[in-house]
Amino acid sequence: VWAQMVELEQEVERRQRLGPESAARKALIASSYHPARPEVYDSLQDAALAPEFLAVAEYSVSPGADLKGLLQRLETVSEEKRIYRVPVFTAPFCQALLEELEHFEQSDMPKGRPNTMNNYGVLLHELGLDEPLMTPLRERFLQPVMALLYPDCGGGQLDSHRAFVVKYAPGQDLELGCHYDNAELTLNVALGKVFTGGALYFGGLFQAPAVLTEPLEVEHVVGQGVLHRGGQLHGARPLGTGERWNLVVWLRASAVRNRLCPMCRCEPDLVDDEGFSDGFTREEPTTVDVCALT
């Protein structure tokens, strides 16, 4: 019991350091880093987005748009699991973003881990890509789409995100064990490069990993994004050859998570932090939209 208490205290201290350490890295990067592809940092342009994605977003804000009409414009990977796929970025934009990420990776700038399970990758807010790229992507395009796909999971109330790129390569991370995301909803976009293996696999909603027997496997397609609920049990198969880079966006709705933490399934006890942090807010939302409460 004593050892568990010490471990718990160490984890609390680690989490308390995350915000200040991340802010320090972001400030140093902003002052000292020289991008290889500065155009990536410009405000998100429609030219970076796949025509199919633009069409989906445009339909979602049109008068009379409904789920049936939206599903005609998306690939349904699994109706039962509510997993969908759509092209998100153009090939040239994927290439430019990859070149910039590799340039940053090879620089001597400090780098934060994307999450507790991935050791290799980039936190986009530290690189300065949240404001020009990820926030417009969430507000202008993902929010109206998710509102139709997942209204019961806060899809229409997304007010923050955590975006990061994960890298899988020989001698580095090769696979990812099954887990849930600290998100109401997730977008996972394959950026490249050339690789074999590494397929995503999915179980049930908040399913215990131990009882995962026949998961659904989904192959990556460069430029295309997989949309799923954060509580959908999932993981990644081992990489075969090459390198795989994916952009993962955890989409969060404080109206949902303020009532029920998606990780412990309990009412959260909040502490103050900087930026979006984990997506909770102290303000009471005017409406509550809770996924899988029953």
Side-chain angles (χ1 to χ4, degrees):
V1 175
W2 173 252
Q4 290 176 330
M5 288 297 296
V6 170
E7 184 179 355
L8 184 61
E9 288 176 1
Q10 290 174 341
E11 176 61 15
V12 169
E13 291 173 359
R14 183 191 72 82
R15 294 189 185 194
Q16 289 173 337
R17 293 194 302 268
L18 287 177
E21 289 175 353
S22 179
R25 286 192 299 267
K26 181 178 181 181
L28 180 58
I29 291 166
S31 65
S32 306
Y33 174 64
H34 301 287
R37 300 294 298 264
E39 70 273 17
V40 169
Y41 296 82
D42 294 338
S43 295
L44 179 64
Q45 301 296 315
D46 288 1
L49 301 172
E52 298 93 333
F53 187 62
L54 289 170
V56 162
E58 184 178 355
Y59 172 78
S60 297
V61 296
S62 64
D66 59 16
L67 179 61
K68 181 179 179 182
L70 179 59
L71 294 182
Q72 294 173 358
R73 295 162 170 81
L74 291 170
E75 176 190 349
T76 299
V77 175
S78 170
E79 183 178 2
E80 175 205 356
K81 291 180 168 56
R82 299 172 70 188
I83 301 171
Y84 308 98
R85 178 157 54 191
V86 64
V88 176
F89 297 120
T90 64
F93 182 79
C94 286
Q95 183 63 32
L97 182 57
L98 264 182
E99 289 178 11
E100 176 57 30
L101 293 168
E102 284 193 292
H103 177 70
F104 175 73
E105 183 192 42
Q106 293 160 9
S107 75
D108 59 0
M109 289 290 104
K111 301 165 185 72
R113 286 178 61 186
N115 53 63
T116 56
M117 298 181 72
N118 288 93
N119 295 294
Y120 298 90
V122 180
L123 288 162
L124 293 196
H125 80 276
E126 291 187 3
L127 195 51
L129 285 171
D130 245 8
E131 292 80 1
L133 179 61
M134 300 317 307
T135 296
L137 185 70
R138 167 173 57 84
E139 292 179 345
R140 290 175 49 202
F141 299 99
L142 290 171
Q143 168 111 353
V145 174
M146 296 304 207
L148 289 177
L149 286 177
Y150 305 103
D152 54 325
C153 302
Q157 298 166 285
L158 303 175
D159 51 5
S160 70
H161 61 267
R162 179 180 175 87
F164 51 89
V165 171
V166 291
K167 177 190 177 188
Y168 297 86
Q172 299 183 6
D173 291 335
L174 290 175
E175 61 187 307
L176 190 63
C178 54
H179 63 283
Y180 316 114
D181 292 340
N182 186 355
E184 277 63 64
L185 301 165
T186 297
L187 168 68
N188 186 329
V189 185
L191 298 176
K193 300 179 171 180
V194 177
F195 58 89
T196 60
L200 296 172
Y201 63 89
F202 291 90
L205 189 67
F206 295 110
Q207 181 182 18
V211 299
L212 181 60
T213 54
E214 296 183 8
L216 169 73
E217 297 215 357
V218 182
E219 297 292 339
H220 298 280
V221 180
V222 173
Q224 296 199 11
V226 176
L227 307 170
H228 64 85
R229 294 172 290 182
Q232 202 79 40
L233 186 68
H234 63 286
R237 297 297 188 199
L239 184 74
T241 60
E243 285 186 14
R244 177 167 74 83
W245 295 68
N246 280 58
L247 167 66
V248 178
V249 188
W250 287 351
L251 298 161
R252 292 161 166 174
S254 62
V256 175
R257 62 181 38 225
N258 285 354
R259 288 276 304 275
L260 192 72
C261 171
M263 303 307 288
C264 67
R265 309 296 288 163
C266 298
E267 184 177 350
D269 183 13
L270 302 180
V271 295
D272 291 330
D273 204 351
E274 300 178 17
F276 287 146
S277 189
D278 276 338
F280 299 96
T281 61
R282 292 194 182 278
E283 293 79 22
E284 281 297 313
T286 53
T287 58
V288 176
D289 201 11
V290 179
C291 178
L293 263 180
T294 56

